[in-house]
């Protein structure tokens, strides 16, 4: 996570340029890439979007002595500015072996309600996954939330505990470039997809999560769900089979 602090300034500058010049693409609010190479830093790492824009490959396997980072974000998200208690969906799916810090959601936090970002909270796949490659920070009761505020670091057992312990904190919206993102800054290779920051998803939809139980597949629910790799179900039975077997 220490690498994050080294590239946030550059990331903010590049993001500002993207938001300001995105034109019609911004209207669709596509998933966007960032990495050490595209941001002109001394660090490596490459983010490559899927052809359909639903996710990306994060490749940090370069032997760069300065390290690597790569990640994805949306130019705008509906979660920005919300109190933690009103946040209902922070999630993504991934493939690859998670490390203690990668891949993870980095969530900007305004702790004193002055409109400025004070620090980031971190939700990493290593400490938050369902065993099927899905990170669901707000609904998985085993999902640990980490944060560092100045010289104070802490963690909460899950999102409910995080909200209860910090009732006045909110997601920062310091500027149009202050948005949550999914990032990897350890050595490795991952894919990330179905990135949700509230209703913000690639393509603007609200679905795309794997089913947590068979009932979620019923009454047409299977049409709004996917496997962990992002593939769709053919019908209700296909969805239920996935819940039972993972295939």
């Amino acid at each position: 996570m220490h690498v994050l602090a080294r590239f946030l300034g550059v990331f903010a500058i590049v993001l500002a340029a993207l938001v300001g010049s995105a034109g019609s693409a911004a209207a669709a609010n596509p998933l966007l890439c960032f990495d050490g190479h595209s941001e002109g830093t001394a660090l490596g790492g490459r983010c490559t979007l899927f052809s359909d824009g639903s996710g990306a490959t994060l490749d940090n396997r370069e032997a760069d002595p300065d390290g690597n980072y790569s990640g994805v974000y949306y130019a705008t998200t509906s979660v920005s500015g919300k109190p933690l208690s009103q946040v209902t969906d922070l999630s993504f799916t991934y493939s690859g072996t998670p490390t203690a810090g990668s891949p993870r959601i980095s969530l900007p936090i305004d702790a004193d309600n002055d409109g400025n970002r004070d620090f980031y909270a971190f939700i990493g796949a290593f400490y938050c996954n369902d065993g099927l490659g899905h990170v669901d920070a707000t609904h998985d009761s085993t999902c640990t939330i980490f944060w560092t505020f100045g010289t104070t670091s802490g963690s909460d057992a899950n999102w409910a505990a995080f909200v209860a312990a910090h009732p006045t904190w909110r997601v920062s919206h310091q500027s149009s470039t202050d948005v949550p993102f999914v990032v990897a800054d350890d050595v490795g290779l991952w894919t990330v997809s179905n990135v949700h920051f509230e209703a913000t998803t690639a393509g603007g939809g609200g679905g795309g999560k794997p089913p947590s139980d068979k009932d979620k597949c019923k009454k047409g629910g299977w049409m709004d769900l996917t496997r962990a790799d992002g593939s769709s179900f053919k019908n209700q039975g296909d969805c239920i089979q996935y819940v039972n077997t993972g295939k």
Side-chain angles (χ1 to χ4, degrees):
M1 294 182 185
H2 63 285
V3 177
L4 177 63
R6 296 163 58 187
F7 72 79
L8 279 177
V10 178
F11 174 51
I13 294 171
V14 174
L15 180 54
L18 286 168
V19 172
S21 63
S24 60
N29 202 31
L31 192 66
L32 301 170
C33 267
F34 67 94
D35 55 45
H37 286 290
S38 66
E39 295 185 351
T41 72
L43 286 75
R46 293 191 184 278
C47 173
T48 305
L49 288 172
F50 297 167
S51 59
D52 63 358
S54 64
T57 299
L58 308 182
D59 190 347
N60 292 351
R61 296 175 296 175
E62 296 177 52
D64 192 311
D66 296 307
N68 301 274
Y69 71 87
S70 53
V72 294
Y73 67 100
Y74 295 105
T76 61
T77 76
S78 58
V79 74
S80 296
K82 283 189 174 182
L84 297 183
S85 60
Q86 294 181 15
V87 176
T88 60
D89 191 358
L90 299 171
S91 60
F92 67 94
T93 58
Y94 71 93
S95 67
T97 303
T99 66
S102 303
R104 68 178 183 274
I105 295 172
S106 290
L107 186 69
I109 299 295
D110 177 2
D112 53 13
N113 288 293
D114 65 352
N116 297 317
R117 182 184 69 242
D118 295 305
F119 57 93
Y120 284 87
F122 304 106
I123 304 108
F126 187 84
Y127 300 99
C128 177
N129 71 79
D130 63 355
L132 298 173
H134 186 57
V135 173
D136 188 348
T138 50
H139 299 102
D140 184 345
S141 62
T142 68
C143 182
T144 307
I145 315 297
F146 295 90
W147 52 271
T148 300
F149 187 7
T151 59
T152 303
S153 297
S155 64
D156 295 287
N158 50 47
W159 187 260
F162 184 50
V163 172
H166 314 288
T168 62
W169 290 5
R170 64 177 57 233
V171 181
S172 171
H173 194 203
Q174 181 173 330
S175 68
S176 61
T177 64
D178 194 26
V179 293
F181 50 94
V182 175
V183 64
D185 51 19
D186 293 314
V187 176
L189 175 68
W190 302 271
T191 65
V192 294
S193 58
N194 296 316
V195 179
H196 291 241
F197 299 136
E198 292 294 77
T200 312
T201 63
K209 294 183 182 179
S212 56
D213 58 63
K214 291 185 287 188
D215 288 340
K216 296 291 191 299
C217 299
K218 299 176 180 178
K219 298 181 180 179
W222 62 271
M223 292 184 287
D224 295 321
L225 300 167
T226 68
R227 295 177 179 82
D229 64 2
S231 60
S232 302
F233 298 110
K234 298 177 181 177
N235 50 45
Q236 177 177 301
D238 192 27
C239 179
I240 291 175
Q241 177 179 308
Y242 178 80
V243 174
N244 291 335
T245 67
K247 299 179 181 179

